[in-house]
Amino acid sequence: MSRRKTERLLNLVVCLLATRRYLTAEQIRRAVPGYPDSDEAFKRMFERDKEELRELGVPLEVGSDLQGGGGEEIGYRIPPQDYELPDVHLTPDEAAVLGLAARVWQRASLAEAASGALLKLRAAGVETDASAAVGIEPRVDTGEPAFQALWEAVRDRRPVAFDYRAIGRTSVTRRHLEPWGVVSRRGRWYVVGFDRDRDEERVFRLSRIDGEVAADGPAGSVTVPDGVDVRRIAFDRGEAVTEPRPATVRLRAGAAQGPRRWARDVRPSGDGAWDEAVLTFRDVERFAPYLARFADDLVVLDPPDLRDAVIQQLKSVLAAGEPDRAGGGETEEGTVRAR
């Protein structure tokens, strides 16, 4: 995710957390920096932002506030009580596992943007509660073993070599790459560069790199062509965007708080031990690892392909004898480029 988009989404969350009433789209447009002047462009961008927040588990509430100056026009807000985590009690072993899961790339440079969002909101005449914004901190997962070496290679403009397992292949092949940039989208990291073996630009997914990434030349010997957009190269060749699909799941009562936050519908199943919920997803391969993290607190009822993918994910974790490092789920985007 670009810095500009990250700041805009953070500002949007701060704005909707801090307000005591529903904000219309126009009020949000005036209060949150980064939106275009064109009405049509704003509508498209705002719709994408709302979908991203919901996929990230942010409880975006839609309604109207007849007494708040917004009339009957639809508005938005994030109820602080729904955004906050419930009391968490962990055993020492659970705390240790949580500590491992928290090893992510943290960026603290957006505090100024959050403060700016509050100032703009107050300037627009909206009452705010500054204490509600405490605790917001964007994070990008860099748990892929190959990430550090590739990030350093991009930074140093150094060629690399690695073993790569392509889709549908059981064996690996040695690849030699002049890396131009490392990009991330929704939990997946890719490296973009010039493939010396194929004599053309190529994209490699980090999770398919087998073993260590080795230096394959001196620092400063990689030249990034002018005008190269590594994000366009990576994602134009990616999987086609699919339509949202519903998934029916059972959630253990009082557990699986993540899925509950963005479920479209949650209702008791009748026995008191489980609830039934409807979630929305686009990609089975990305969504299954996320659901598998909730282990026996979540059961997929439908659709069958998602259920099978979650079962396979759990089996692979048990076979490996360690927690799943892929993470999955809907996360933020990121980019690391050579300069």
Side-chain angles (χ1 to χ4, degrees):
M1 181 183 294
S2 67
R3 178 184 174 87
R4 182 179 301 176
K5 182 176 181 180
T6 301
E7 290 184 353
R8 186 180 72 250
L9 289 176
L10 176 61
N11 286 335
L12 180 57
V13 171
V14 172
C15 172
L16 297 179
L17 265 177
T19 181
R20 294 186 176 90
R21 59 182 175 85
Y22 293 100
L23 297 182
T24 65
E26 185 56 33
Q27 288 174 321
I28 293 172
R29 181 181 184 178
R30 294 197 304 266
V32 177
Y35 284 114
D37 295 329
S38 167
D39 291 342
E40 192 61 33
F42 164 73
K43 290 179 181 178
R44 291 196 301 269
M45 183 177 291
F46 185 51
E47 287 300 317
R48 289 196 299 268
D49 287 352
K50 288 191 295 182
E51 182 177 352
E52 288 222 27
L53 290 184
R54 291 189 177 108
E55 290 178 344
L56 289 169
V58 177
L60 186 61
E61 185 175 279
V62 181
S64 62
D65 188 352
L66 298 178
Q67 306 300 322
E72 297 182 359
E73 189 173 352
I74 292 297
Y76 308 86
R77 69 180 181 184
I78 299 174
Q81 65 275 14
D82 294 340
Y83 188 79
E84 297 170 354
L85 285 173
D87 291 338
V88 179
H89 304 282
L90 301 175
T91 66
D93 288 344
E94 290 170 336
V97 172
L98 188 60
L100 291 175
R103 290 189 306 177
V104 295
W105 183 15
Q106 301 184 26
R107 297 171 56 187
S109 59
L110 297 179
E112 183 178 351
S115 299
L118 289 177
L119 290 175
K120 289 180 179 291
L121 191 60
R122 296 187 186 110
V126 178
E127 295 182 6
T128 64
D129 181 359
S131 63
V134 175
I136 299 175
E137 183 180 0
R139 295 180 177 180
V140 179
D141 185 356
T142 57
E144 293 289 356
F147 176 85
Q148 184 67 24
L150 288 172
W151 178 82
E152 292 176 355
V154 169
R155 180 197 63 191
D156 300 337
R157 296 190 292 116
R158 184 192 300 273
V160 294
F162 50 82
D163 292 331
Y164 191 74
R165 192 184 309 275
I167 297 177
R169 301 287 182 86
T170 57
S171 60
V172 298
T173 57
R174 193 67 172 173
R175 310 305 290 266
H176 302 82
L177 183 73
E178 297 180 8
W180 296 343
V182 182
V183 298
S184 170
R185 188 181 187 191
R186 302 192 178 192
R188 292 177 176 178
W189 282 96
Y190 305 83
V191 60
V192 179
F194 181 77
D195 186 339
R196 291 177 172 177
D197 302 296
R198 303 296 188 268
D199 197 31
E200 63 180 358
E201 65 182 34
R202 283 296 178 92
V203 180
F204 298 93
R205 186 166 151 187
L206 268 61
S207 62
R208 297 195 182 110
I209 293 177
D210 193 337
E212 296 184 357
V213 176
D216 194 39
S221 61
V222 172
T223 300
V224 182
D226 293 336
V228 162
D229 184 344
V230 293
R231 295 188 64 78
R232 179 190 60 76
I233 295 172
F235 302 140
D236 282 358
R237 296 187 180 187
E239 301 88 345
V241 176
T242 58
E243 291 299 317
R245 299 168 59 192
T248 304
V249 301
R250 297 183 72 197
L251 306 174
R252 192 179 300 278
Q257 297 299 324
R260 288 177 183 276
R261 288 184 179 278
W262 56 280
R264 191 175 64 198
D265 182 29
V266 179
R267 57 186 180 276
S269 62
D271 58 6
W274 294 87
D275 298 325
E276 190 169 298
V278 177
L279 308 174
T280 302
F281 73 102
R282 291 180 182 273
D283 187 282
V284 169
E285 187 178 350
R286 283 198 294 259
F287 198 47
Y290 169 72
L291 296 182
R293 295 190 321 199
F294 297 94
D296 58 353
D297 289 332
L298 184 149
V299 178
V300 178
L301 302 178
D302 190 67
D305 58 337
L306 178 62
R307 178 182 173 85
D308 292 343
V310 171
I311 292 173
Q312 185 59 42
Q313 182 72 24
L314 292 171
K315 287 182 177 179
S316 65
V317 172
L318 289 174
E322 60 180 6
D324 175 29
R325 292 187 301 182
E330 309 297 330
T331 61
E332 298 182 24
E333 301 173 0
T335 305
V336 179
R337 295 191 56 183
R339 297 183 180 274

